[in-house]
Amino acid sequence: MATRQRRALTSDPPETASSPAYTKVDKPERSDGENEGVDRGLGWLLPLLCLGMLRHMSATSNIIHDCDEVFNYWEPLHYLLYKSGFQTWEYSSQFALRSYLYILLHKLVGWPAAWWFGEEKVRVFYAVRIFLAGLSVISDAALVVALSRKYGKRLASYALAMLCLASGCFFASTSFLPSSFSMYAMSLSSALFLFNKPAMAVAVAATGVILGWPFSILAFLPLTIYSLVKSFKPVFLTGVVTSIVLMVLSVLVDYDYYKKWTSSVINLLVYNVLGGGESHLYGTEGASFYLRNGFNNFNLCFVFALLFLAILPVAKKKYAPELLIVVSPVYLWIAFMSLQSHKEERFLYPIYPLICVAASAVIESFPDLFRDKYNPNGTSTLVKIAKILRPLALGLILCVSHARTFSLINGYSAPIEIYKHLDYHDDAGPGSVLCVGSEWHRFPSSFFIPDYVSQVRWLDDGFTGLLPIPFNSSLGGTSAAPSYFNNKNKASERQYLKDPEQCTLLIELQLQRPYPTRGSDMSTWEIVAALPYLDRELSPPLHRSFFIPNQWQQKNVFGQYRLLRRIQK
């Protein structure tokens, strides 16, 4: 009798002898499109084009958010290019807290731009900004491409949209600050880490710390430690060699400018950590400052980023450990910086790209929160709703981000724009003296001062701290240690112009206040230019922080930012 053969069941495993090996390419795409594009990922063209366009917009329209950017970076650069500019006590050779190596990096762009544009110094200013925008484009584009190859096109697209339009990234990307440089390094280092190039990632991290901001070393620790554990010898050697080369170069450059053997990197760390932490002299904020600031600059994106750890148990297989290592500095950095008494918005810049990445991962994981663990490919109603919520959440974030960006640019751009009007009033004559009172902290830099203005002088309007004073070439310029500088924020007698009658031009902010200002005397001054400036104290917090159509102009209160000229009698 013939033997009866059992019919093969669909659940039977294939015979290994005749069946080809199963590969990822053979995996059928899910009908809901969840696997679509995971293998291909995004190419370089789209991120470069999108980021390039938005970063160019930032370079040409960004305001200056911090006077430290002007006086500690734009002014020294102006001095290296034109032999004039303001000096802060940090650049006195007695303290030497700032590195000229960081300034020289930007002089590589500023010097040919100064030669090309001649007397048009404003164009040099924007040429340097476009250079900063280029660094941001390259580093962020690398991060987007790395995310797409590692985690798929959807997550990378979300991150790209946020990197382009989030207010924090829009403004920080073209700020001339070491914390912004550390931000570029963070994006590029994270990208290299995801590209499985740990040695290069650590080398970039060391560059961001030494050439950029030394305190950002804490933000780079998770990536560095994991890379050392993963591949100790090449990572260690690359990191050490990069650090030694940059430290030696920094010391040599500092010696050339300060005329003494010193390290500005070590001096800065000693001053803030071992030297008593005198940075609290320049303003303190409460423990919730960075939470409030993070929401203002990233809105719901910031909230989603903080929820990354909460969704990790559900998305552990996708995101642990690599993406967890990448975004962990968000928590570490915010916690550490919140414990410090001195707080400033720019201190969070290094983790700005990571906030976008963490938020993108959370939004991308919405459907995973509602899947049946026994049927992960199922498409229940809740899963379908979660998929719809993803673009809605992203769209809301981008709209609110645009509202924030629009409000800041249109509300506070008057200082930069009013200084540009100086170019049209050279009939004031050579040797003119431009005076600035309480608005000294919004001075946009000497790049906006035309040649016919011989001096910019501060007027005493009640400020008791130490103000920048012009570099003194007779004392040695960059190597000088003027006695009028101190590290206690005590005002110097030399910082103010004693006789206001010497002022030819005056910059002033006119607000609705019960006391008169210097420019209120129309028998002495005439208004030659005026632009609206948002009055922060009299405007509602919601309307001044975010642009709401049909309400922003009506609800907010505006003053006038003025350029005045003395009437000849």
Side-chain angles (χ1 to χ4, degrees):
M1 295 178 65
T3 303
R4 187 177 180 179
Q5 299 293 327
R6 181 175 66 91
R7 185 173 59 186
L9 300 177
T10 56
S11 60
D12 288 349
E15 297 182 5
T16 55
S18 59
S19 300
Y22 178 81
T23 65
K24 189 176 181 181
V25 176
D26 298 321
K27 183 178 179 180
E29 291 188 356
R30 283 168 32 185
S31 59
D32 59 4
E34 285 292 298
N35 290 326
E36 184 180 353
V38 169
D39 294 323
R40 294 194 304 272
L42 293 177
W44 285 89
L45 182 61
L46 179 63
L48 288 174
L49 286 177
C50 294
L51 287 164
M53 180 178 64
L54 269 297
R55 295 297 181 258
H56 182 269
M57 292 174 61
S58 173
T60 54
S61 63
N62 195 3
I63 62 176
I64 295 178
H65 300 260
D66 194 326
C67 62
D68 190 72
E69 177 183 352
V70 170
F71 294 119
N72 276 327
Y73 305 103
W74 284 113
E75 287 301 289
L77 177 62
H78 188 274
Y79 182 78
L80 296 188
L81 295 175
Y82 300 101
K83 297 304 178 185
S84 67
F86 283 98
Q87 181 183 21
T88 61
W89 68 270
E90 292 99 324
Y91 280 93
S92 168
S93 61
Q94 177 185 354
F95 306 105
L97 298 187
R98 305 295 180 183
S99 173
Y100 275 99
L101 180 59
Y102 176 68
I103 304 297
L104 282 181
L105 172 65
H106 301 79
K107 186 182 177 182
L108 294 177
V109 176
W111 182 80
W115 172 81
W116 182 261
F117 294 118
E119 297 180 357
E120 298 179 272
K121 295 190 295 183
V122 174
R123 293 196 175 192
V124 179
F125 175 91
Y126 285 107
V128 174
R129 267 199 173 177
I130 290 175
F131 166 68
L132 297 173
L135 294 179
S136 178
V137 169
I138 293 171
S139 57
D140 286 348
L143 179 58
V144 170
V145 172
L147 288 170
S148 70
R149 294 182 182 178
K150 186 78 175 179
Y151 300 106
K153 186 180 295 186
R154 179 178 287 106
L155 188 150
S157 299
Y158 293 170
L160 174 61
M162 293 187 196
L163 286 168
C164 284
L165 293 176
S167 298
C169 295
F170 185 88
F171 293 126
S173 60
T174 54
S175 293
F176 187 4
L177 289 166
S179 52
S180 286
F181 187 84
S182 294
M183 181 184 71
Y184 310 149
M186 181 64 73
S187 287
L188 185 56
S189 179
S190 300
L192 293 169
F193 176 78
L194 294 176
F195 280 136
N196 198 27
K197 299 181 183 295
M200 294 177 64
V202 172
V204 172
T207 305
V209 170
I210 297 173
L211 186 55
W213 195 28
F215 296 104
S216 64
I217 187 173
L218 183 64
F220 288 102
L221 276 182
L223 183 149
T224 302
I225 293 173
Y226 187 84
S227 297
L228 286 170
V229 172
K230 188 175 181 180
S231 182
F232 180 81
K233 186 175 180 179
V235 171
F236 179 79
L237 290 177
T238 304
V240 168
V241 170
T242 303
S243 300
I244 291 176
V245 169
L246 289 174
M247 282 297 294
V248 170
L249 186 60
S250 176
V251 169
L252 291 175
V253 171
D254 286 342
Y255 175 78
D256 186 48
Y257 284 95
Y258 288 122
K259 303 304 179 187
K260 70 174 186 179
W261 291 109
T262 187
S263 171
S264 57
V265 176
I266 295 176
N267 294 342
L268 184 64
L269 291 172
V270 169
Y271 170 76
N272 285 280
V273 179
L274 303 178
E278 299 291 346
S279 62
H280 70 273
L281 296 172
Y282 300 91
T284 58
E285 296 286 349
S288 64
F289 174 79
Y290 288 124
L291 296 179
R292 290 184 282 108
N293 188 265
F295 183 80
N296 280 340
N297 284 313
F298 290 93
N299 59 82
L300 288 179
C301 175
F302 186 70
V303 176
F304 287 142
L306 295 181
L307 292 175
F308 179 83
L309 287 182
I311 63 99
L312 196 60
V314 176
K316 184 177 180 180
K317 290 184 178 180
K318 288 197 296 185
Y319 299 144
E322 283 85 0
L323 195 63
L324 175 61
I325 296 297
V326 167
V327 303
S328 60
V330 171
Y331 300 94
L332 185 65
W333 191 247
I334 291 176
F336 173 76
M337 297 307 294
S338 295
L339 294 175
Q340 311 306 309
S341 57
H342 179 49
K343 299 178 179 68
E344 295 188 36
E345 179 180 327
R346 59 192 170 93
F347 292 171
L348 283 194
Y349 284 7
I351 63 167
Y352 274 8
L354 306 186
I355 292 174
C356 298
V357 173
S360 300
V362 171
I363 295 175
E364 197 271 342
S365 298
F366 278 179
D368 298 333
L369 301 176
F370 304 99
R371 294 191 194 281
D372 184 350
K373 64 179 180 179
Y374 299 108
N375 183 22
N377 294 332
T379 56
S380 65
T381 302
L382 289 177
V383 171
K384 293 179 179 179
I385 293 174
K387 291 179 180 178
I388 296 174
L389 288 178
R390 287 190 299 197
L392 292 179
L394 180 65
L396 179 61
I397 289 172
L398 300 184
C399 288
V400 178
S401 294
H402 176 71
R404 170 71 174 174
T405 302
F406 182 94
S407 181
L408 291 185
I409 290 178
N410 288 275
Y412 302 105
S413 62
I416 282 184
E417 297 303 320
I418 209 71
Y419 275 87
K420 292 178 182 178
H421 282 266
L422 288 169
D423 282 332
Y424 306 110
H425 299 284
D426 54 357
D427 55 341
S432 296
V433 177
L434 174 65
C435 293
V436 185
S438 59
E439 285 302 296
W440 65 268
H441 61 290
R442 296 191 180 99
F443 176 65
S445 83
S446 296
F447 284 95
F448 291 82
I449 306 302
D451 291 339
Y452 74 87
V453 177
S454 61
Q455 296 182 74
V456 176
R457 299 300 305 268
W458 312 131
L459 297 177
D460 188 356
D461 277 349
F463 182 70
T464 59
L466 179 63
L467 291 180
I469 299 175
F471 278 94
N472 194 327
S473 299
S474 62
L475 295 179
T478 59
S479 64
S483 58
Y484 43 78
F485 281 141
N486 63 82
N487 63 349
K488 304 298 181 183
N489 197 25
K490 295 181 179 179
S492 168
E493 295 181 356
R494 297 193 52 172
Q495 67 187 36
Y496 291 124
L497 178 65
K498 302 297 183 182
D499 182 13
E501 295 296 325
Q502 298 180 23
C503 300
T504 311
L505 300 162
L506 177 67
I507 294 288
E508 192 172 75
L509 175 59
Q510 181 73 47
L511 299 174
Q512 298 178 20
R513 299 296 186 269
Y515 48 83
T517 59
R518 296 179 187 272
S520 300
D521 184 4
M522 292 293 99
S523 64
T524 303
W525 301 99
E526 62 174 334
I527 303 173
V528 295
L531 292 172
Y533 187 86
L534 199 152
D535 190 334
R536 186 179 183 277
E537 294 182 11
L538 298 183
S539 299
L542 176 63
H543 293 89
R544 73 168 183 253
S545 298
F546 301 98
F547 172 77
I548 301 176
N550 301 322
Q551 295 189 37
W552 187 81
Q553 193 76 31
Q554 288 76 18
K555 297 288 186 179
N556 288 317
V557 178
F558 295 86
Q560 279 196 334
Y561 215 87
R562 296 175 172 178
L563 170 62
L564 303 107
R565 182 167 56 185
R566 182 178 294 276
I567 298 174
Q568 299 297 327
K569 297 181 179 179

